[in-house]
Amino acid sequence: MVDPQKIVFGLDSFGDLPTDENGNLMTQAQAIRQVVTEAELADRLGVNVIALGEHHRPEYAISSPDTVLAGIATRTRHIKLASGVTVLSSDDPVRVYERFATLDALSNGRAQVVIGRGSFTESFPLYGYDLSDYDLLFEEKIELFSKLLDEKPVTWSGKTRAALDGIEVFPKTEKGRLDTQVAVGGSPESVVRAARYGFPMILAIIGGSPRRFVPYVKLYQKASQKFGTKAYPVGIHSHGVIADSDAEAIELAWKHTRKSLARVGKERGWVPMSREQFEQEVKQGSIYAGAPETVAQRLAATIKLLNAGRFELAYGAGELSVQARLHMIELYATKVIPRVREILAEG
């Protein structure tokens, strides 16, 4: 089991548009500034990571995570600055490397790029990519990106961008390698790919029992052994709402998290979540809603089940109020995280 004191705890945001003290929905510009304020609070309270996701949708404000992270870098001291995720398929690996290497310099080595294929596909037509090339784009670009991480002259050729012939990319990082992880949504091929390139893996678990991901953890370990790469403890990303009582947290999650998931589900043809299904997710699934003790007990069980080394709470919950978000961060940092470590240390 991973040492409980070494488990990384983080917060994830897509820049969800919150409501202010008067119940008014904030603008996207206000939402971006609010995320910076929340990251400052998380840093002061000792949260390990803030991870910002890339989206190109009206309900989310962050389309350029590294830019917002650069702003956070100037106002924090300790917290790791991660993307969650950078959609590498519709980006350029060289530019991704340059942006995060720059962030790493600005933050004194706190940058972390989390790359993924993208469960949302708005960026593909936006940047002129054909969705029929979805798999090819990621396969070629992760190959190139893995070469760039060596910080040596790169020679590479493929079908999705111009070839490179002995090209060096700058700036170099002070530690010699940019901290990189891969986010996986549940595709076995993606799990094997992460193992093949030797990247730590973060599982996006947004619904259903975490138990169904046990085979993916085993597959990652088995594939890493086959490829001769290191199998890191997996990370987990899931939604949650923490409040002073179970009843308050559950009602907030039902109102906001469910609404946010339903909006996506409508586009993808999912059947809307019933109250019964929602409560099942809260009790045994992948929505961590409740008072600090309730959430801590459930998180500890999931971390133990998957032998995870990292957990990130997606805390925005749609249009949750600013006050509720700030209070959630405080409860997560001061009550939930210490309690999870305590439970795991007890065995």
Side-chain angles (χ1 to χ4, degrees):
M1 188 178 83
V2 178
D3 182 345
Q5 298 306 315
K6 293 183 179 179
I7 295 172
V8 173
F9 286 94
L11 291 163
D12 276 21
S13 177
F14 303 143
D16 310 59
L17 307 187
T19 52
D20 61 21
E21 62 274 11
N22 298 315
N24 299 315
L25 195 64
M26 284 187 164
T27 65
Q28 292 192 328
Q30 289 173 320
I32 289 172
R33 292 192 290 269
Q34 181 60 33
V35 168
V36 176
T37 297
E38 290 161 358
E40 286 185 275
L41 174 62
D43 182 55
R44 290 198 301 273
L45 296 176
V47 176
N48 303 122
V49 179
I50 181 76
L52 305 184
E54 173 192 347
H55 286 290
H56 306 268
R57 301 170 58 87
E59 68 268 29
Y60 300 129
I62 298 175
S63 59
S64 178
D66 47 286
T67 304
V68 183
L69 291 168
I72 292 171
T74 65
R75 291 168 59 173
T76 57
R77 297 181 61 189
H78 305 291
I79 197 165
K80 177 77 77 171
L81 308 169
S83 57
V85 301
T86 295
V87 184
L88 187 65
S89 305
S90 59
D91 211 325
D92 181 76
V94 174
R95 294 293 291 156
V96 171
Y97 172 84
E98 290 176 338
R99 297 197 305 264
F100 278 88
T102 300
L103 174 63
D104 200 60
L106 186 66
S107 63
N108 291 306
R110 289 185 284 140
Q112 181 179 80
V113 56
V114 180
I115 55 179
R117 295 196 301 170
S119 60
F120 289 78
T121 58
E122 291 84 1
S123 61
F124 289 81
L126 184 65
Y127 297 134
Y129 291 100
D130 192 331
L131 277 171
S132 64
D133 294 329
Y134 186 79
D135 292 322
L136 175 64
L137 284 164
F138 192 68
E139 186 60 63
E140 286 201 350
K141 292 187 178 188
I142 195 173
E143 179 190 30
L144 173 54
F145 194 75
S146 69
K147 292 178 179 291
L148 294 167
L149 293 176
D150 293 332
E151 300 191 6
K152 298 176 181 178
V154 172
T155 296
W156 177 91
S157 63
K159 299 178 180 178
T160 57
R161 61 148 289 144
L164 300 176
D165 185 10
I167 298 296
E168 286 196 76
V169 180
F170 305 98
K172 308 293 187 183
T173 63
E174 290 176 319
K175 57 196 174 190
R177 189 173 181 87
L178 187 61
D179 189 352
T180 303
Q181 303 204 7
V182 173
V184 173
S187 160
E189 293 80 10
S190 295
V191 173
V192 172
R193 185 185 293 110
R196 176 154 52 94
Y197 286 101
F199 289 129
M201 179 177 71
I202 298 177
L203 294 168
I205 307 178
I206 62 173
S209 170
R211 186 170 295 279
R212 66 193 179 94
F213 283 84
V214 170
Y216 292 99
V217 176
K218 293 181 178 178
L219 176 61
Y220 174 66
Q221 294 167 342
K222 184 177 180 180
S224 296
Q225 185 177 26
K226 175 184 175 182
F227 293 122
T229 56
K230 182 176 179 179
Y232 297 87
V234 301
I236 304 166
H237 157 104
S238 291
H239 291 274
V241 175
I242 307 166
D244 292 321
S245 70
D246 286 349
E248 180 187 3
I250 289 170
E251 288 309 311
L252 287 172
W254 170 249
K255 180 179 180 180
H256 297 292
T257 301
R258 180 196 60 88
K259 180 180 177 182
S260 179
L261 293 173
R263 183 184 294 117
V264 176
K266 185 177 180 180
E267 297 176 6
R268 300 184 181 185
W270 299 344
V271 176
M273 185 184 297
S274 67
R275 180 71 188 220
E276 182 180 3
Q277 290 171 322
F278 166 77
E279 291 183 355
Q280 183 66 20
E281 281 289 338
V282 170
K283 290 177 182 177
Q284 299 180 347
S286 299
I287 296 177
Y288 296 86
E293 179 64 20
T294 300
V295 173
Q297 291 286 348
R298 291 210 56 234
L299 281 185
T302 297
I303 289 169
K304 190 173 183 179
L305 173 69
L306 299 176
N307 194 26
R310 174 171 175 148
F311 178 84
E312 296 174 0
L313 181 74
Y315 70 95
E319 298 171 5
L320 195 67
S321 72
V322 165
Q323 294 88 343
R325 279 167 51 156
L326 291 170
H327 189 47
M328 188 188 334
I329 292 170
E330 182 180 4
L331 292 174
Y332 181 62
T334 63
K335 295 185 180 296
V336 174
I337 294 174
R339 181 62 178 136
V340 173
R341 296 193 196 279
E342 183 179 70
I343 294 167
L344 292 172
E346 293 169 353

